[in-house]
Amino acid sequence: MRITVDRLRGIYESFARGHGAGAEEAAIFAEGLLRADLRGHHTQGIGLLPYFDQLFSAEVMRFGQPLTVERESPATVLLDGHGGVGHVIGVRAMDMAIDKAASSGIGLATVRRSGDCGMASNYAIRAMERGMIGISMSTGPLLVAPWGGRDAYFCTNPLAIAVPAGKHDPIVIDMATSAYSMGKVVLTARDGQHLGEKGVVDQNGIYTDDPARVILDVMDRESRMSGALIPAGPKGFGMLLLVDILSALLSGERDWQEERPADPSGRAAYYAQTFIAISIEHFQDPDAFAAAADRMIETLIRSRPAQGFSAVRLPGGGAADTEREYRANGINLRDEEWAMVEQLASRRGIALDV
């Protein structure tokens, strides 16, 4: 089905207000989910709504929480989110990083005791829209086994980088450091399909491309598992560790004392994020940088494709095309995702005709 941007934004705001959000936080939360939907990442948008309802109901995540400064320097800040909403924390923390980068050339904000912040590139794009290079990363529920292991000790640890260009769409890298995101694995299992390559490890320690051997409830975006996701190979595991070190360890959210693998029946999580803004003008003229970025993009997209490819495509190009199409014609949602929203709206008294 198709839904207008304004209608979906209104639904998200109503949901947030129903869980105690004021007008400002409701708007930030709605825009974060909406941006994910607009870029075609519905597992970070509408697909997360039932999961967020669980987090709010269990008071794992709450609106109206303070964001306090624990340590600060001209270029860095350590923040405590006090179990607040990740979308709100992420916007405010990245804005602090942007302000620091404007004066110091680079700004880094790391947050402990945060909440799920959804699509990582939301925050990298925020810096990019200010003419800076934005980097964002996050930890969360324990879903991923170490490379060569079978027990979940890590989140999918998404990493995003947004780079401004001139006349071309910006380069936006947004990826899980696991072989597949949790949302992709669940949707693939829901559709009765296999992954393109081995992306999960079952309870017997066997790496497989069949998500149905791991996912227990295909209608649950955050399904419990009888196994775990796996990293994107040994290099992906290195990147997964990097995200954990720069967010969970650096912020003090996680210290690895008496660490145990995730209990499949539970939802252990370490909600921590790091946001980095790099001011291009501290290094070179922004117009010269944008022109160089354009030339890089043009050179690569015009280069000869390999067998089985129609063209070279840079990260973020497809999502930018999707956003333009959805803004013009409405956002295309899966039927079962809308049905979940209808069920949630009925339980929570959320108006769907806003």
Side-chain angles (χ1 to χ4, degrees), residues 8-9 36 65 78 82 90 94 116 202-203 223 230 264 277 305 350-351:
L8 189 54
R9 179 188 292 110
Q65 294 299 102
L78 167 65
H82 297 279
M94 179 53 94
D116 193 310
D202 69 15
Q203 60 185 342
S223 172
I230 62 173
I350 300 169

Side-chain angles (χ1 to χ4, degrees), residues 31-273:
E31 287 300 323
L33 290 176
L34 188 63
R35 170 82 79 167
D37 290 314
L38 283 167
R39 295 181 70 83
H41 301 306
H42 300 301
T43 59
Q44 297 295 332
I46 197 166
L48 276 178
L49 215 56
Y51 175 54
F52 282 147
D53 188 63
Q54 295 173 19
L55 295 181
F56 289 133
S57 298
E59 296 190 340
V60 172
M61 200 165 70
R62 292 171 290 174
F63 285 106
Q65 294 299 102
L67 181 61
T68 57
V69 174
E70 300 297 304
R71 297 186 182 185
E72 189 171 16
S73 78
T76 65
V77 61
L78 167 65
L79 300 164
D80 189 324
H82 297 279
V85 175
H87 289 82
V88 176
I89 291 170
V91 164
R92 292 174 177 169
M94 179 53 94
D95 284 352
M96 291 183 191
I98 290 169
D99 289 343
K100 289 180 177 296
S103 59
S104 299
I106 188 168
L108 186 153
T110 186
V111 190
R112 65 188 179 211
R113 292 208 295 168
S114 186
D116 193 310
C117 67
M119 186 176 73
S121 59
N122 267 328
Y123 315 99
I125 289 171
R126 191 171 183 87
M128 182 270 296
E129 290 175 338
R130 293 278 297 274
M132 299 183 180
I133 296 171
I135 303 171
S136 52
M137 60 194 76
S138 177
T139 61
L142 303 186
L143 306 168
V144 184
W147 182 247
R150 68 171 72 180
D151 298 317
Y153 282 96
F154 300 96
C155 185
T156 56
N157 286 9
L159 171 66
I161 304 170
V163 182
K167 62 183 179 181
H168 289 285
D169 289 327
I171 297 171
V172 180
I173 302 167
D174 189 339
M175 61 183 187
T177 53
S178 51
Y180 294 94
S181 70
M182 182 63 173
K184 174 66 174 178
V185 171
V186 170
L187 284 183
T188 302
R190 186 182 302 168
D191 292 340
Q193 298 177 353
H194 283 218
L195 302 164
E197 59 185 30
K198 293 178 180 179
V200 296
V201 56
D202 69 15
Q203 60 185 342
N204 297 315
I206 299 172
Y207 280 24
T208 176
D209 65 353
D210 183 2
R213 287 166 57 177
V214 171
I215 300 300
L216 298 179
D217 182 358
V218 299
M219 299 307 293
D220 183 355
R221 164 64 174 78
E222 293 293 320
S223 172
R224 293 342 188 218
M225 295 188 289
S226 60
L229 311 186
I230 62 173
K235 293 182 180 179
F237 184 41
M239 296 178 69
L240 184 149
L241 287 172
L242 174 69
V243 172
D244 229 66
I245 291 165
L246 291 182
S247 51
L249 263 67
L250 189 63
S251 69
E253 170 70 17
R254 190 176 192 183
D255 60 15
W256 284 84
Q257 293 186 38
E258 300 180 356
E259 195 71 25
R260 293 180 176 83
D263 179 351
S265 65
R267 183 59 71 189
Y270 296 93
Y271 290 110
Q273 293 98 29

